[in-house]
C-alpha cells in the first residue's frame, strides 16, 4: 500500500479538527510498515472546493497566520486557511508508535520532500550522518538556495512544530533597530504581553534546573560564560515545564527529555495547534485545508482575488488544482514562502502594482552554530533536554546572543553546543528566475563571516579562559562553524516599505502580509515572539479600520 495515493484518508482520519496525541489513532495501522518506506494518501476530503468563495483566505498556518485567523474569527469573520504541509494531528503513528520521531532517528516523517536527510549537524566525530529516506511531506524543510539552506516547519502550525520553543522578547533598548517604524511603547505595553500570554510563555523553575541531569549541559554553559565575564540568562519558552518535570520523574511519556526536537514534539511543547489555532478553530469560523499549496494570486474581475491552489498528496504529487476566490488575503507563508509568492506574482504580471521593495531586505537573523570541546571534567550529560532554557548575552559589546543549545546524542559528547544570533548587517534579495521558474535568493555563504566574527567575541574568550578548543567534527571534516544555514528567516516584504505600517501591501486593497516577511532581517533574539506580537498589533488595526 505504500506510495499509492488513496482517494480517501485513512479510516477515521478524514475529518478536520485538532485531535492532539496519538490516542485516537490507535486503531489505524501504520501504512508503509518498516523504516525506509512511507505512507501516501490524499488530503482530507473536507478540504476547500474548487470555485469556493471565502471572505478571508490566510496562506500559511504559522505564527502570523494563526494570529490573523484567531483575531478575525473573534471579530466575526469567517476565515479559511491553506497550508502546504500536513495536519499532523491526523497522521498515523510511525514504526515507533509515535507521530514524531526522535531527533536521533530521522525517517520519512522528518524532511519535506527529500530523498536524503539534511540534518543541521551533518557529521558526528567527523563521520557523515545523513541517510536515504523516502520522499514524503515530512515536517522540516531544509530549503536550499545558492548560498544558504533555510530550515522551516511544514504542517498545520508552521515553525511551532519544529522549533526549540525559545520565546524571547527582545530588550527594549534594541527595539528601534528591529522595527524602527513601530511604537515600542505600544509593543511593550500591549502586544508583547498579549503574544506571550496567548503563546503560553513561561520560564523554567530555577530549583529544578539546578538539580535535573537533563540541564547539566546548560549549567556547564553557565559556568563557562560566567567565568569569562559574560551575562548568562534564563530564557523563557513555550514548553509545559510541569510536564517536563513529570517526564523527569518518569510519570509521563518523555518528549523534550526523549530527544524530540526538529522533527516534531509528541507531548509537552505548546505548539500553535494547542494555542492560537485551537482557539481559532473553537470559534467555529476557521477551517483549514492542509496539503494545499497556494501558487498564484491575482485580482478577479468580479472582485476580490482568485487564488490557485495545488492540492498534493504526501508524496508531493498534485492531485487537484483549484481556483478559489477570496475577498481579502493574508500572506502568512513565512518569510521565504510569502516573499517567493509575492516576487513571482509581481514578476509574472499577476500582481504588477506591488512595489519594488517586494523581495528586499531578507536576513538570516545572524544565525551561526558552533560546538566547543570540553575537558573530561566538564561532561555535558548523556541525557539532555531538547528545549534550550538559557543564553549568553554579549549583544551590546560584541553583537552576539548565544543559546546554550542541546546536543541530545544519547551519549556523553563532552561538547558544549550553541546557536548564536548575531547583529549581521547583511541583507539579501529574492528575484524571479524566468528560465527556471524559481525564485532565487542572493545570499552568499561568505557573508556569514560577519556572524563568525561576532560569535567569536564570546567563544574565543571562553576557549581561552577554559583552555578548550572548538569542535571540528559537527559540520564536516575540520569545519568549525555551522555557516550554511539559518533557522530564522526574516524579511522580504518589510513593514513600512513593501507594505504600509500595518502590513497592507502597496498597490492592492485587501492584500496583507502578516508573518516574518515583515521584519527587516534581524530581531536580536529568537524571532517568533516578535512575529506574533507584531501580528497582534497589525491585525487589531486592520480589523478596526478595514473590515
Ligand atoms: P512559519 O511559522 O514558517 O509558517 C509559515 C507556514 O506557511 C508554514 O507552515 C508553511 O508550510 C506554510 N506555507 C509556506 N508556503 C506556502 C504556500 N505557498 N501555500 C500554503 N502554505 C504555505 O512563518 N524561533 C524562536 O523564536 N525560538 C526558537 O526556539 C526557534 N527555534 C527554531 C528551530 C528550528 C529548527 C526552526 C526551523 C525555526 C526555529 N525558530 C525559532 C524560528 C521560528 O519557528 C520562525 O521564526 C517562525 O515559525 C516564523 O513564523 P511565520 O509566521 O513567519
Amino acid at each position: 500500500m505504500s506510495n499509492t495515493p488513496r482517494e480517501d484518508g485513512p479510516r477515521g482520519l478524514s475529518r478536520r479538527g485538532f485531535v492532539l496525541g496519538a490516542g485516537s489513532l490507535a486503531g489505524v495501522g501504520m501504512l508503509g510498515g518498516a523504516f525506509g518506506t512511507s505512507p501516501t494518501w490524499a488530503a482530507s476530503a473536507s478540504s476547500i472546493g474548487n470555485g469556493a468563495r471565502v471572505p478571508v483566505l490566510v496562506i500559511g498556518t504559522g505564527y502570523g497566520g494563526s494570529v490573523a485567523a484567531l483575531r478575525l474569527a473573534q471579530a466575526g469573520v469567517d476565515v479559511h486557511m491553506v497550508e502546504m504541509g500536513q495536519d499532523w494531528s491526523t497522521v498515523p503513528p510511525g514504526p515507533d508508535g509515535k507521530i514524531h520521531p526522535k531527533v536521533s532517528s530521522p525517517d520519512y516523517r522528518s524532511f519535506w520532500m527529500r530523498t536524503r536527510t539534511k540534518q543541521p549537524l551533518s557529521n558526528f566525530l567527523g563521520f557523515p550522518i545523513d541517510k536515504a529516506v523516502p520522499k514524503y511531506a515530512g515536517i522540516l524543510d531544509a530549503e536550499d538556495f545558492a548560498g544558504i539552506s533555510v530550515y522551516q516547519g511544514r504542517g498545520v502550525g508552521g515553525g511551532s512544530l519544529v522549533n526549540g520553543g525559545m520565546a524571547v522578547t527582545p530588550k527594549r533598548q534594541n527595539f528601534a533597530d528591529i522595527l524602527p517604524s513601530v511604537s515600542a511603547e505600544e509593543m511593550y505595553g500591549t502586544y508583547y504581553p498579549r503574544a506571550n500570554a496567548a503563546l503560553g510563555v513561561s520560564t523554567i523553575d530555577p530549583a529544578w534546573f539546578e538539580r535535573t541531569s537533563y540541564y547539566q549541559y546548560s549549567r556547564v554553559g553557565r559556568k563557562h560564560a560566567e567565568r569569562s565575564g559574560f551575562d548568562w540568562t534564563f530564557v523563557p519558552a513555550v514548553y509545559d515545564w510541569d510536564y517536563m518535570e513529570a517526564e523527569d520523574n518518569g510519570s509521563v511519556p518523555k518528549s523534550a527529555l526523549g530527544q524530540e526536537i526538529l522533527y516534531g514534539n509528541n507531548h509537552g511543547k505548546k505548539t500553535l495547534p494547542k494555542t492560537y489555532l485551537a482557539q481559532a478553530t473553537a470559534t467555529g469560523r476557521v477551517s483549514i485545508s492542509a496539503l494545499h499549496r497556494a501558487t498564484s494570486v491575482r485580482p478577479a474581475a468580479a472582485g476580490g482575488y482568485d487564488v490557485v491552489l495545488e492540492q498534493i498528496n504526501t508524496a508531493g504529487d498534485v492531485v487537484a488544482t483549484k481556483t478559489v476566490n477570496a475577498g481579502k488575503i493574508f500572506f502568512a507563508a513565512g518569510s521565504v514562502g510569502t516573499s517567493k509568492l509575492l516576487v513571482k506574482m509581481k514578476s509574472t504580471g499577476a500582481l504588477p502594482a506591488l512595489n519594488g521593495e517586494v523581495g528586499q531586505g531578507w536576513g538570516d537573523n545572524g544565525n551561526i552554530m558552533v560546538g566547543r570541546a570540553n575537558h573530561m571534567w566538564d561532561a555535558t550529560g548523556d541525557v539532555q533536554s531538547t528545549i534550550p532554557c538559557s543564553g549568553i548575552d554579549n549583544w551590546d559589546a560584541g553583537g552576539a546572543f548565544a543559546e546554550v543549545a542541546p546536543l541530545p546524542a544519547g551519549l556523553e559528547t563532552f561538547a558544549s553546543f550553541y546557536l548564536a544570533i548575531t547583529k549581521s548587517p547583511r541583507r539579501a534579495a529574492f528575484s524571479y528566475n524566468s528560465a527556471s521558474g524559481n525564485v532565487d535568493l542572493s545570499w552568499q555563504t561568505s557573508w556569514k563571516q560577519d556572524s563568525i566574527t561576532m560569535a567569536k567575541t564570546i567563544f574565543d574568550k571562553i576557549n581561552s579562559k577554559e583552555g578548550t578548543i572548538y569542535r571540528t567534527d559537527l559540520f564536516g571534516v575540520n569545519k568549525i562553524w555551522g555557516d550554511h544555514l539559518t533557522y530564522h528567516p526574516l524579511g522580504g516584504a518589510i513593514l513600512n516599505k513593501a507594505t504600509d505600517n500595518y502590513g497592507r501591501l502597496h498597490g492592492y486593497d485587501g492584500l496583507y502580509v502578516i508573518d516574518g516577511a515583515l521584519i527587516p532581517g534581524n530581531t536580536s533574539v529568537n524571532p517568533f515572539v516578535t512575529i506574533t506580537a507584531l501580528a497582534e498589533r497589525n491585525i487589531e488595526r486592520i480589523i478596526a479600520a478595514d473590515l
Side-chain angles (χ1 to χ4, degrees), residues 357-418:
E357 294 288 342
V358 162
Q360 304 293 310
W362 185 87
D364 68 340
N365 210 25
N367 277 190
I368 191 88
M369 285 179 178
V370 73
R372 293 179 36 255
N374 290 325
H375 296 296
M376 298 291 275
W377 56 84
D378 269 339
T380 47
D382 57 356
V383 292
Q384 301 194 357
S385 169
T386 57
I387 301 293
C389 72
S390 71
I392 303 167
D393 186 0
N394 195 38
W395 190 260
D396 295 338
F401 171 85
E403 296 172 10
V404 181
L407 206 57
L411 54 106
E412 179 56 57
T413 62
F414 298 99
S416 283
F417 184 60
Y418 309 88

